[in-house]
């Protein structure tokens, strides 16, 4: 029986759309490609999610492939994007309904340490409290088995009593390999149908 609902953050509870942040910069196609490769396509970006380097250290390393004139753009895109985030407020009633039914709610996210700055003011923070596995805090990343194993051990959960919701099929596959049921998220109506199929209240009533 499912007792715990594990949520991803980006593109489930909030938008994560680097292209929309790039759109605000009015870059030429060449500069846009340079920034995309140098920031979001870089190993350093992944390393900040793992918590192995800081954002400042990542920016310093990015200088080798990003021209100096574009470094202010790179800094904005690494440090100043959180205020641009749009939260999926249509998901609040769903999360609230699960909480009222007594399910344990947990956030499992690949994100850098600046998550500690922007998440507390999000409209979802009240539902999760400190039941958060932030990749940068523990130096593990989805879809690695160590990530899901850390979540189970840290929160004292049984894999067979959990369902994980993520927009990335690879992350769901990683959870399933660890015995955790998973749902690839597309939108709220689809998620509600998937939850109903699993007998999860109130959607199965």
């Amino acid at each position: 029986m499912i007792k715990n609902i594990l949520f991803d953050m980006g593109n489930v509870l909030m938008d994560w759309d680097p292209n929309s942040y790039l759109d605000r910069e009015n870059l030429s196609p060449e500069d846009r490609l340079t920034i995309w490769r140098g920031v979001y396509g870089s190993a350093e970006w992944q390393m900040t999610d793992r918590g192995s380097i800081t954002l400042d250290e990542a920016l310093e390393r990015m200088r080798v492939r990003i021209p100096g004139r574009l470094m202010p753009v790179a800094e904005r895109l690494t440090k100043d994007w959180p205020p641009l985030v749009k939260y999926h407020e249509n998901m609040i009633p769903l999360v609230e309904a699960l909480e009222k039914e007594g399910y344990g709610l947990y956030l499992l996210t690949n994100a850098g340490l600046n998550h500690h700055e922007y998440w507390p003011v999000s409209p979802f923070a009240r539902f999760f409290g400190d039941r958060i596995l932030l990749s940068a805090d523990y130096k593990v990343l989805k879809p690695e088995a160590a990530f899901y194993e850390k979540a189970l051990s840290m929160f004292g959960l049984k894999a067979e009593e959990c369902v994980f919701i993520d927009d990335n099929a690879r992350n769901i596959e990683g959870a399933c390999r660890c015995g955790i049921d998973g749902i690839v998220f597309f939108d709220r109506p689809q998620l509600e149908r998937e939850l109903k199929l699993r007998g999860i209240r109130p959607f199965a009533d």
Side-chain angles (χ1 to χ4, degrees), residues 121-139:
V121 299
S122 81
F124 291 98
R126 63 190 174 96
F127 296 110
F128 295 91
D130 60 359
R131 299 181 303 278
I132 298 170
L133 175 53
L134 175 66
S135 60
D137 279 340
Y138 297 96
K139 296 179 170 53

Side-chain angles (χ1 to χ4, degrees), residues 106-166:
Y106 299 84
L107 185 72
L108 276 57
T109 182
N110 283 352
L113 292 172
N114 60 340
H115 178 274
H116 294 296
E117 300 170 14
Y118 61 81
W119 176 256
V121 299
S122 81
F124 291 98
R126 63 190 174 96
F127 296 110
F128 295 91
D130 60 359
R131 299 181 303 278
I132 298 170
L133 175 53
L134 175 66
S135 60
D137 279 340
Y138 297 96
K139 296 179 170 53
V140 290
L141 286 173
K142 295 177 287 184
E144 298 166 1
F147 182 96
Y148 307 99
E149 291 165 358
K150 180 65 178 178
L152 295 174
S153 64
M154 187 166 81
F155 300 123
L157 305 177
K158 296 179 180 179
E160 64 272 17
E161 295 178 348
C162 299
V163 62
F164 177 47
I165 301 160
D166 195 297

Side-chain angles (χ1 to χ4, degrees), residues 33-98:
L33 181 58
T34 296
I35 287 291
W36 178 268
R37 289 174 172 172
V39 176
Y40 299 120
S42 70
E44 289 83 11
W45 186 257
Q46 188 86 342
M47 291 165 73
T48 62
D49 277 358
R50 189 180 290 279
S52 53
I53 62 173
T54 66
L55 285 175
D56 286 332
E57 289 169 336
L59 281 164
E60 191 59 35
R61 295 187 185 196
M62 290 173 186
R63 291 182 187 277
V64 302
R65 70 183 74 93
I66 299 175
R69 63 184 175 81
L70 291 177
M71 283 306 297
V73 177
E75 184 161 356
R76 286 195 294 275
L77 293 173
T78 55
K79 291 186 171 183
D80 298 340
W81 61 265
L84 305 176
V85 163
K86 293 180 181 178
Y87 288 94
H88 295 180
E89 298 199 2
N90 71 319
M91 287 287 287
I92 292 176
L94 182 147
V95 177
E96 192 169 43
L98 291 169

